[in-house]
Amino acid sequence: MYLNHLQQDEIFIPSEIKSFESMTGIKSRRGLENVIVSNGKTVNAVSKSYGHIPNELFFHKAEQLLVDANLKYRKRTINRNDRAFVVDFIIDNDNLFELKNKQDQILPMPLFKNSYDGSEKTSGHFGFYRKVCANGLHVSQAKIAFSIRHTKNNTDLIMPNLHRLFDRFLDNEYYGVTQKFKELETIEINDTKAFVKDILDKTKLFRFECSDHNDEPSKKSRDLIELIETESSSMEVSPSLWTGYNAFNWMLHNSLKKGFAQQEKLDKVLFDEIYEMV
């Protein structure tokens, strides 16, 4: 059902490069001659040789890769303050992976990132989409490599053949990682509070305790504990490393103020630490 209610932010917003001097009436130093204006806001200062990559160019080319590869997909689009953008292409086909609880289903998900403020590298990689809670899982190492050539008046994007990359991802990573998901599902968490504290101590995602003078769980820690227990109850299963990992993943993407690249990196750290417990 979550595939019918995917986030659909507007990502094709007006953007352009203008000279700093024309915008302000002030001359700029060398290397910061131009600014990028996104949806009426100045979001970045760049050199006069910088080639701007508008979302229309990048994401349309990315989507064409899936069309050319004959992949059936649904899109989730995310716009962070008209500065950074992600499009997830959730592959809705025979590669669906079911865990022991048949409600818990995983789909392959190529995703592409772009930013106008320089906070995110224009890039793509493969991940996983968990249908039951609309989570994006980024534990795959498979990148979607392409070439970007910046010139003063033009930006060329040389995109790969996604069909071969997708098949390679399925062969080398998809089923291997989803088997790890199944392993996580088999290990029950006996003490949810101790589990959350252990992972937070190892990853430093945020502090478990309220303060130096109060050892009780902080609000975020209490929210994590509740997430694990609520999801396990709703699915009529015992808390496991799998529900624990997904609670951390959900908080990482919904409650913590992290950039897209930070989320990807921290998701892999969380997964590795939790998988160590298997």
Side-chain angles (χ1 to χ4, degrees), residues 240-269:
S240 68
L241 295 184
W242 173 242
T243 52
Y245 162 62
N246 279 282
F248 272 98
N249 178 279
W250 188 94
M251 180 161 281
L252 174 62
H253 288 82
N254 293 278
S255 298
L256 304 183
K257 295 181 179 180
K258 305 292 184 183
F260 295 128
Q262 286 179 298
Q263 289 175 340
E264 179 186 340
K265 180 180 178 180
L266 288 169
D267 185 25
K268 291 173 183 174
V269 170

Side-chain angles (χ1 to χ4, degrees), residues 4-269:
N4 297 321
H5 302 284
L6 296 171
Q7 186 171 345
Q8 298 291 324
D9 293 347
E10 179 55 61
I11 59 172
F12 299 126
I13 56 177
S15 69
E16 60 181 324
I17 286 188
K18 292 187 175 183
S19 75
F20 183 89
E21 187 172 359
S22 71
M23 292 280 291
T24 65
I26 304 171
K27 290 189 176 181
S28 64
R29 73 168 176 83
R30 184 177 180 182
L32 294 176
E33 297 90 351
N34 291 336
V35 296
I36 296 178
V37 179
S38 175
N39 212 16
K41 301 180 289 288
T42 299
V43 298
N44 203 0
V46 298
S47 72
K48 61 183 179 182
S49 62
Y50 181 83
H52 175 49
I53 305 175
N55 288 342
E56 290 83 354
L57 171 66
F58 180 60
F59 290 127
H60 282 154
K61 282 203 170 188
E63 185 164 5
Q64 190 61 46
L65 295 180
L66 282 89
V67 173
D68 292 343
N70 295 316
L71 292 173
K72 181 182 177 183
Y73 60 90
R74 304 196 195 192
K75 287 189 293 186
R76 174 170 60 182
T77 58
I78 303 172
N79 176 340
R80 292 266 182 87
N81 301 314
D82 295 335
R83 295 168 174 260
F85 314 88
V86 164
V87 177
D88 298 329
F89 294 100
I90 300 158
I91 308 300
D92 193 12
N93 62 8
D94 295 338
N95 295 297
L96 179 145
F97 178 87
E98 290 184 337
L99 283 95
K100 182 170 60 177
N101 186 319
K102 298 301 182 182
Q103 302 175 63
D104 209 345
Q105 300 174 334
I106 305 293
L107 292 168
M109 182 182 73
L111 61 155
F112 294 81
K113 297 181 294 185
N114 193 27
S115 69
Y116 291 164
D117 63 354
S119 63
E120 303 287 343
K121 183 179 179 182
T122 302
S123 61
H125 73 274
F126 289 100
F128 306 84
Y129 180 80
R130 187 182 182 219
K131 292 175 73 173
V132 74
C133 63
N135 269 14
L137 313 177
H138 301 276
V139 294
S140 168
Q141 300 295 321
K143 303 292 183 182
I144 301 171
F146 41 81
S147 172
I148 305 171
R149 186 167 64 244
H150 298 273
T151 63
K152 182 176 181 179
N153 298 314
N154 189 34
T155 300
D156 292 329
L157 279 172
I158 301 173
M159 305 294 267
N161 182 311
L162 188 65
H163 183 72
R164 287 197 297 271
L165 290 176
F166 184 70
D167 287 346
R168 195 179 309 152
F169 167 66
L170 292 181
D171 290 341
N172 296 341
E173 284 205 65
Y174 180 68
Y175 292 107
V177 175
T178 48
Q179 287 301 320
K180 289 184 177 180
F181 294 164
K182 184 171 284 190
E183 291 179 64
L184 292 178
E185 189 185 29
T186 66
I187 308 298
E188 291 189 7
I189 297 173
N190 297 318
D191 187 332
T192 306
K193 179 180 175 181
F195 166 76
V196 168
K197 184 179 188 309
D198 185 35
I199 296 302
L200 288 177
D201 287 347
K202 289 176 178 176
T203 63
K204 311 300 182 187
L205 188 65
F206 55 84
R207 184 170 179 163
F208 176 80
E209 299 85 2
C210 287
S211 70
D212 289 339
H213 307 292
N214 185 348
D215 291 338
E216 288 301 307
S218 65
K219 184 181 184 306
K220 286 191 180 74
S221 299
R222 295 195 303 272
D223 289 345
L224 261 176
I225 294 167
E226 184 178 351
L227 271 172
I228 295 170
E229 295 176 346
T230 299
E231 180 181 320
S232 301
S233 176
S234 68
M235 297 184 70
E236 299 181 343
V237 297
S238 299
S240 68
L241 295 184
W242 173 242
T243 52
Y245 162 62
N246 279 282
F248 272 98
N249 178 279
W250 188 94
M251 180 161 281
L252 174 62
H253 288 82
N254 293 278
S255 298
L256 304 183
K257 295 181 179 180
K258 305 292 184 183
F260 295 128
Q262 286 179 298
Q263 289 175 340
E264 179 186 340
K265 180 180 178 180
L266 288 169
D267 185 25
K268 291 173 183 174
V269 170

